Amino acid sequence: MKAVHSFKSARFKPMLESIGGTYIIKPMVQIMALSAASIRKHHPDFVLITDEAGKALAEACKMPYSEIISVGDKFDSHPNFWIHSKLHAYHELNEPFVHYDNDVFLWEPLPERLLAADVFGFHSETFVWRKYEAYGKALEDSGIPIPKLHRKYWTSRMPVNMAIFGGNNHAAIKQYAGFVLEWLQDNQGFWNMDDKQAQALDENIAFIEQLWVSYLIQDAQGIPIELLLTEQQVQANEKVDGVQLTHLHGAKQAAMRQGKTHELVAKLDAKLKEVNPEVHAAVQEFTSPDVDIAALIKESQDGQNSQ
């Protein structure tokens, strides 16, 4: 089955254009590179769908995709609508596929029972339903015009974590993605949002992605979404036969809370070097700062102390 990564670079452009450039986004690049290196071991057909800046980044870091497709400026939306690249991939692919988020590391192939399904996802999120209610309310309160799917399908309370998503019924997936993309277009890519709306979209976008997929595939089309893991398995961090992967999202949040981000980055660096030394070397070169950041910080501190 075709494997897919997608990447919209807009959120990272301000950092790329600031002092330090690519060095500032080194953790993101390391994560994406390790994800790509681990997935490619199990998917010879592995494509990246991105924009021009994303294509340049992936090529410079020698990320091991079998194909890199640039869509140019088709991700014409506010940077906070970061799922645009994912939706574009879901909509344009006309064959069975599995899309992995860029922070998923695949150590062994996914089970065949999952890859044989019409539509599949990572796991459901019914245990945190109240969060999704809060997401929807925050979006509505901000003034963002939200289709009333949550009122039409009000008995459905099964958001689906889409860190891993895809299936063989690409027509059903295309219908879901098409609905969201049309809504995005009707709202001019949300370029005209105020700051409150931009923050609401950024913080609550799971409502749009992970709840609407259940509404528009399971409820509207009557197609059940097969799940890789149960919520009980996820909550218990249970080892499951036939499933060997890492979704870094939780580990990133924990490291930030505990002040251990640097330790996590060091572990990622060592793992990338182990999995693919060539990609590791390319990432190191790409993210080397053009300026001596430590010297700049010291110079700034010395200037403050002399005042």
Side-chain angles (χ1 to χ4, degrees):
M1 179 177 279
K2 179 186 288 293
V4 184
H5 260 176
S6 61
F7 179 67
K8 176 182 174 179
S9 67
R11 289 168 70 91
F12 302 98
K13 282 187 176 179
M15 289 173 275
L16 286 170
E17 294 169 357
S18 65
I19 293 175
T22 54
Y23 178 76
I24 299 173
I25 63 167
K26 184 174 183 177
M28 181 279 293
V29 178
Q30 285 179 314
I31 291 167
M32 182 174 174
L34 180 54
S35 178
S38 67
I39 292 168
R40 181 59 193 270
K41 288 180 178 292
H42 311 292
H43 288 281
D45 185 4
F46 182 25
V47 61
L48 171 65
I49 298 175
T50 185
D51 47 32
E52 280 299 305
K55 181 174 185 288
L57 183 153
E59 289 177 342
C61 293
K62 299 184 179 179
M63 295 188 191
Y65 301 104
S66 57
E67 184 179 10
I68 300 175
I69 299 173
S70 170
V71 301
D73 59 359
K74 287 187 178 179
F75 303 151
D76 185 17
S77 59
H78 192 282
N80 287 7
F81 197 81
W82 57 268
I83 62 172
H84 196 163
S85 59
K86 297 174 72 171
L87 291 162
H88 179 89
Y90 301 158
H91 190 260
E92 295 304 310
L93 289 164
N94 294 307
E95 60 183 297
F97 70 88
V98 50
H99 182 285
Y100 296 93
D101 277 1
N102 298 349
D103 61 352
V104 172
F105 310 143
L106 188 67
W107 310 124
E108 295 293 340
L110 293 175
E112 284 301 321
R113 62 97 181 160
L114 188 79
L115 298 178
D118 274 347
V119 182
F120 56 77
F122 193 16
H123 58 81
S124 59
E125 295 199 335
T126 61
F127 289 179
V128 291
W129 170 251
R130 289 199 175 277
K131 282 190 176 182
Y132 282 84
E133 287 185 314
Y135 296 156
K137 185 176 187 305
L139 288 167
E140 287 192 315
D141 288 351
S142 76
I144 292 176
I146 301 293
K148 306 305 180 186
L149 296 177
H150 54 298
R151 296 181 183 174
K152 182 176 182 180
Y153 302 112
W154 63 273
T155 59
S156 175
R157 295 188 173 188
M158 185 183 157
V160 176
N161 186 296
M162 296 170 69
I164 298 171
F165 177 73
N168 293 277
N169 192 338
H170 47 86
I173 296 171
K174 182 188 291 284
Q175 188 169 326
Y176 148 67
F179 178 92
V180 185
L181 289 171
E182 184 176 348
W183 171 71
L184 177 67
Q185 185 175 13
D186 288 346
N187 289 279
Q188 295 78 48
F190 293 111
W191 283 113
N192 297 321
M193 291 188 297
D194 60 30
D195 291 344
K196 178 183 176 183
Q197 291 172 325
Q199 182 178 356
L201 185 66
D202 185 41
E203 294 176 351
N204 303 286
I205 205 164
F207 183 85
I208 296 162
E209 181 189 21
Q210 300 188 159
L211 185 54
W212 285 10
V213 72
S214 187
Y215 288 158
L216 294 168
I217 291 181
Q218 297 198 124
D219 295 286
Q221 300 183 64
I223 299 169
I225 298 177
E226 180 78 11
L227 300 172
L228 176 62
L229 298 173
T230 67
E231 287 181 75
Q232 290 86 349
Q233 289 168 336
V234 173
Q235 292 284 326
N237 199 24
E238 181 181 334
K239 290 187 177 181
V240 179
D241 289 342
V243 178
Q244 292 194 41
L245 57 83
T246 302
H247 183 207
L248 197 63
H249 181 68
K252 285 188 295 185
Q253 291 183 323
M256 291 173 68
R257 285 196 305 269
Q258 298 166 13
K260 295 183 177 180
T261 304
H262 291 298
E263 292 179 23
L264 178 61
V265 169
K267 289 179 180 178
L268 291 170
D269 184 72
K271 190 65 177 179
L272 178 58
K273 189 173 183 179
E274 173 192 329
V275 172
N276 193 315
E278 182 182 10
V279 173
H280 176 266
V283 168
Q284 291 294 102
E285 182 177 354
F286 179 75
T287 57
S288 295
D290 295 327
V291 296
D292 189 337
I293 294 177
L296 284 176
I297 294 173
K298 186 176 185 306
E299 181 180 337
S300 175
Q301 291 173 337
D302 290 345
Q304 290 174 359
N305 292 335
S306 65
Q307 291 179 0

